[in-house]
Amino acid sequence: MTSSADRSAPGKPTAGTGGPSAAAMAGGAAAGGTAGAGVGTAAKRLAEQQDLQRKVDAVARQEPSLAWAAGLRDDETTIVLVTDVASGWIPPTVKLPPGVSLLNPAQRRRDTSVVDLLGAVVAAAAHQPNSYITEADPQDSVPGTGERARHGQRVDELGPTLIDTVGANSRLPRIVQTVAQAVARRYGAADNEIELFQQVLTDTRARVLSAYPAHAPKDVADWMLLAAIDALIQGSEELARYHLAWYLATAVVRHGGGKP
C-alpha cells in the first residue's frame, strides 16, 4: 500500500500556498496505507501514522516555523525525517527523536515539498509552518536520544577541509575563519572569540528563519558551515562532518564554476 506521498509526481510540490494542509497530507498517507486492508492491518497503519506524527511534533515544537515530515519506508522499519529548509538538512538547533533516519546530503530541487522529499513511503505525517502542534505526552521519548542519525557522513581530512572551505567563503566575517582554524587545529579559541562567533551563528539562523520559506540558499549554506564549526567547539567531529558534508553537497555553485 502506498501513501499520498507515493503518488505525488517527483519534484512536484504538494504543500505550501494553495496546496493541501498537513492534516490532509497526513490523512492521505494514512488512508493510502489502510485502503482495502483488513482490520488488523488498518490498526497497524494507524499506529504507525500516530508514531510518525509524534516524531514530527517533537521536532516541530523546537522549530515550529519550518515544514517537517516523517515517513515509513516500505521495509516498515526505516523512518525518514526531513525538513525543506535545505531539502533534508536538519538544523543544529533541533534535537532528534529516537528511531529516525535522515536523508544523505545532496542537491535537490528547492520547490520539492516536504512530503515529496520523503520518497516512497507507506505512511507519513507532516507539520506545516506555524500550524497547530499537540502538547507533548509524558510517555513520548525525549528529543535528543536520536542524535546518532546525524552520524556517518564522510568528509576527507575534516580539519583542513573545514579551514579551506571557510577561507573560500567571502560572506562570513573574519572571526569565523579565526575560530575555525583554532578548533580545527585543536589549539582552542579564546572565550571572546567564541562569543563573537556565536553571535554570527545566531544572526545567520535568525536571517534564515525570518525569511523562510523565501530564505536565500546562501544563508542556509552559511548556517551549515557555522554549524560544523560550532560542533567542533562542542567537541563532536561526527556532527561537524554531518553539517560540513551538507555544505559541500549543496553550497557549491554547479554552474559557472563559482566558489561556495
Side-chain angles (χ1 to χ4, degrees), residues 22-23 25-26 48-72 79-83 90 94-101 114-115 118 123-129 131-136 140-141 143:
M25 289 187 292
E48 290 167 346
Q49 201 277 328
Q50 290 173 337
D51 178 61
L52 292 171
Q53 192 64 58
R54 283 193 294 270
K55 288 176 170 31
V56 167
D57 290 346
V59 290
R61 290 187 194 102
Q62 300 173 64
E63 289 289 5
S65 63
L66 299 179
W68 293 94
L72 179 65
I79 295 175
V80 181
L81 176 72
V82 300
T83 181
I90 307 297
V94 176
K95 295 180 179 180
L96 300 176
V100 298
S101 299
V114 70
V115 171
L118 296 172
H127 164 82
Q128 290 302 297
S131 59
Y132 175 75
I133 309 171
T134 60
E135 293 185 6
D140 288 351
S141 300

Side-chain angles (χ1 to χ4, degrees), residues 42 88 122 133 142 148 178 199 211-212 223 255 258:
V122 297
I133 309 171
V142 177
R148 288 192 62 83
T178 299
Q199 189 59 55
Y212 176 89
W223 192 6
H255 302 287

